[in-house]
Amino acid sequence: ELESQYNVKLDVKGNPAVAVLLTIAQQKLTQSAIRQINSLLEDGKTKEALEEIKKSDPWVKAKFTALDATNDISCGGMVRNLQEILTKAQKENVAVTAEQRVGISKTLDFFKMCDERSRTMCEYMVRLIGLSVQEPTAFIIGAAHTEEVAKQLRSKGVAFVVLRAKAFNPDFASMSLEQFDLKNQSKWARTTNGTLGRLLNAQRNPRPIIETATAKSYASACMAVMVISEAVRDGKRVPQDVRPRLSDLPEFRIDYDSFAQDGFDVTFRMWLKTTDGKEKEVWVRTGTAKSLEQVKSLEQKLLQGIADLGGGGGKLPPRDPPSGSEGSKDKEGPGDGHKKGVVISRVGMRSLAVFAESKAKANEIGRLSG
């Protein structure tokens, strides 16, 4: 991947394409529909009003569906949709403001660069394939890149199979616009108080998130939480009995003198790398669910992985939060809890954790272990 292809930022206020689409739709509304929509808006029923607007024309409804961020759309598909909206506006004599044109132009540039990244990734993959002709090669890409990558592989005569994950919960798996903006800046999307993303995000780093030091730190921190919390639950001494398992974790330092135990809970200090490569002091209080019956299934564990990378849109699959918490709140992952304005994160199969900037804040939440 090329760093220059990640320097195009989607710096657009609102959604200019949707604004133009709404203007097109308004021209097709009957007076009866307009009165009904106004009545819904007066009652604060914005979503219901939007659904009525979509009914104004099949083409309009199709474009709204195509622009929906929860749909599996390609970068090239988004470019085509935006261009078709502008063409339709011109044919219908719909006024498009200068600000809307600039916004759509920036959005077009962003998604065109997305396809450029697809082609670059494909070029490198073809080289790798040439090194091991007799063996299959795995290529993990985002859904938006699939169309262009498949097109490029076909043009190069490469045989391939596209494997897509089956959505366990489509409502949960979508990102909010705020989370997408953070991801576009190569930052962690989960920034709720008590999560690692809130502490590790720093200034923009144009490299893909999997190449940054913070990704290694994030994974190491989660591993440390699981090792330590489960060791305490199993009656082992910490940190003495877990030190060998923690010593080689990448982009991670731990203060072995900081350990404090409260029942099955442990508080300790570590240092991780932020998204700008600087070191950050992080305190964590960790504990465990009482039994494996209280923890998540494999499906929920996979959904937690989605949440940690920014997915979810704040919606959780059915699951009880940690004991003593206030239940689910926006931006949390499946099985996470919320207490005193802080997220209690599910980490691994039965570990719980709160991440904070100081020991006092980490301990404000109280007992985590069931």
Side-chain angles (χ1 to χ4, degrees), residues 134-205:
Q134 302 301 320
E135 299 177 0
T137 304
F139 189 12
I140 302 174
I141 58 175
H145 294 285
T146 304
E147 180 185 272
E148 184 61 27
V149 166
K151 175 183 174 182
Q152 292 297 316
L153 290 175
R154 288 191 194 97
S155 69
K156 299 177 186 302
V158 177
F160 65 92
V161 175
V162 176
L163 300 178
R164 297 178 185 270
K166 180 179 179 182
F168 294 114
N169 189 330
D171 288 336
F172 171 78
S174 60
M175 273 188 173
S176 67
L177 290 176
E178 179 184 358
Q179 289 172 330
F180 181 80
D181 286 340
L182 285 168
K183 176 179 177 293
N184 181 45
Q185 298 169 41
S186 292
K187 294 182 178 180
W188 294 102
R190 295 189 73 202
T191 57
T192 316
N193 190 24
T195 63
L196 264 179
R198 183 181 182 90
L199 300 173
L200 297 183
N201 274 344
Q203 65 186 20
R204 175 177 170 79
N205 187 327

Side-chain angles (χ1 to χ4, degrees), residues 47-67:
K47 290 183 178 179
E48 290 83 350
L50 180 58
E51 289 304 314
E52 290 300 318
I53 292 174
K54 291 178 182 178
K55 294 178 183 178
S56 64
D57 181 78
W59 184 89
V60 168
K61 184 176 182 179
K63 288 305 162 193
F64 268 111
T65 300
L67 292 177

Side-chain angles (χ1 to χ4, degrees), residues 18-268:
V18 169
V20 173
L21 198 53
L22 285 171
T23 306
I24 295 173
Q26 288 172 4
Q27 294 189 348
K28 301 179 180 297
L29 294 172
T30 64
Q31 289 301 313
S32 175
I34 291 174
R35 286 193 294 270
Q36 182 179 2
I37 291 167
N38 287 335
S39 176
L40 290 170
L41 291 173
E42 289 172 2
D43 293 338
K45 298 179 179 179
T46 307
K47 290 183 178 179
E48 290 83 350
L50 180 58
E51 289 304 314
E52 290 300 318
I53 292 174
K54 291 178 182 178
K55 294 178 183 178
S56 64
D57 181 78
W59 184 89
V60 168
K61 184 176 182 179
K63 288 305 162 193
F64 268 111
T65 300
L67 292 177
D68 190 340
T70 63
N71 288 325
D72 180 16
I73 191 168
S74 67
C75 297
M78 183 62 76
V79 169
R80 291 190 295 273
N81 284 320
L82 293 174
Q83 291 173 333
E84 288 172 10
I85 289 172
L86 287 176
T87 300
K88 186 75 169 180
Q90 184 177 7
K91 288 183 178 179
E92 300 285 341
N93 293 317
V94 170
V96 179
T97 67
E99 184 178 3
Q100 289 170 343
R101 287 191 182 278
V102 170
I104 292 176
S105 177
K106 287 183 177 180
T107 307
L108 281 168
D109 289 342
F110 176 82
F111 283 105
K112 286 177 180 177
M113 185 58 75
C114 172
D115 266 350
E116 288 293 328
R117 294 199 294 270
S118 298
R119 288 187 278 275
T120 299
M121 289 188 292
C122 193
E123 288 290 340
Y124 281 107
M125 176 50 65
V126 171
R127 295 181 199 175
L128 289 175
I129 293 172
L131 298 177
S132 55
V133 180
Q134 302 301 320
E135 299 177 0
T137 304
F139 189 12
I140 302 174
I141 58 175
H145 294 285
T146 304
E147 180 185 272
E148 184 61 27
V149 166
K151 175 183 174 182
Q152 292 297 316
L153 290 175
R154 288 191 194 97
S155 69
K156 299 177 186 302
V158 177
F160 65 92
V161 175
V162 176
L163 300 178
R164 297 178 185 270
K166 180 179 179 182
F168 294 114
N169 189 330
D171 288 336
F172 171 78
S174 60
M175 273 188 173
S176 67
L177 290 176
E178 179 184 358
Q179 289 172 330
F180 181 80
D181 286 340
L182 285 168
K183 176 179 177 293
N184 181 45
Q185 298 169 41
S186 292
K187 294 182 178 180
W188 294 102
R190 295 189 73 202
T191 57
T192 316
N193 190 24
T195 63
L196 264 179
R198 183 181 182 90
L199 300 173
L200 297 183
N201 274 344
Q203 65 186 20
R204 175 177 170 79
N205 187 327
R207 294 176 294 169
I209 194 71
I210 58 172
E211 294 181 6
T212 63
T214 181
K216 299 174 186 176
S217 283
Y218 194 107
S220 294
C222 291
M223 175 60 75
V225 163
M226 289 187 284
V227 169
I228 292 168
S229 63
E230 292 180 12
V232 172
R233 175 65 72 173
D234 294 338
K236 296 179 180 179
R237 300 173 304 160
V238 293
Q240 297 94 321
D241 292 343
V242 298
R243 194 161 182 163
R245 297 187 64 187
L246 303 177
S247 60
D248 293 329
L249 293 177
E251 305 293 354
F252 171 88
R253 288 197 301 123
I254 191 167
D255 181 358
Y256 291 105
D257 295 326
S258 66
F259 277 68
Q261 190 169 339
D262 176 16
F264 289 114
D265 279 20
V266 177
T267 302
F268 63 93

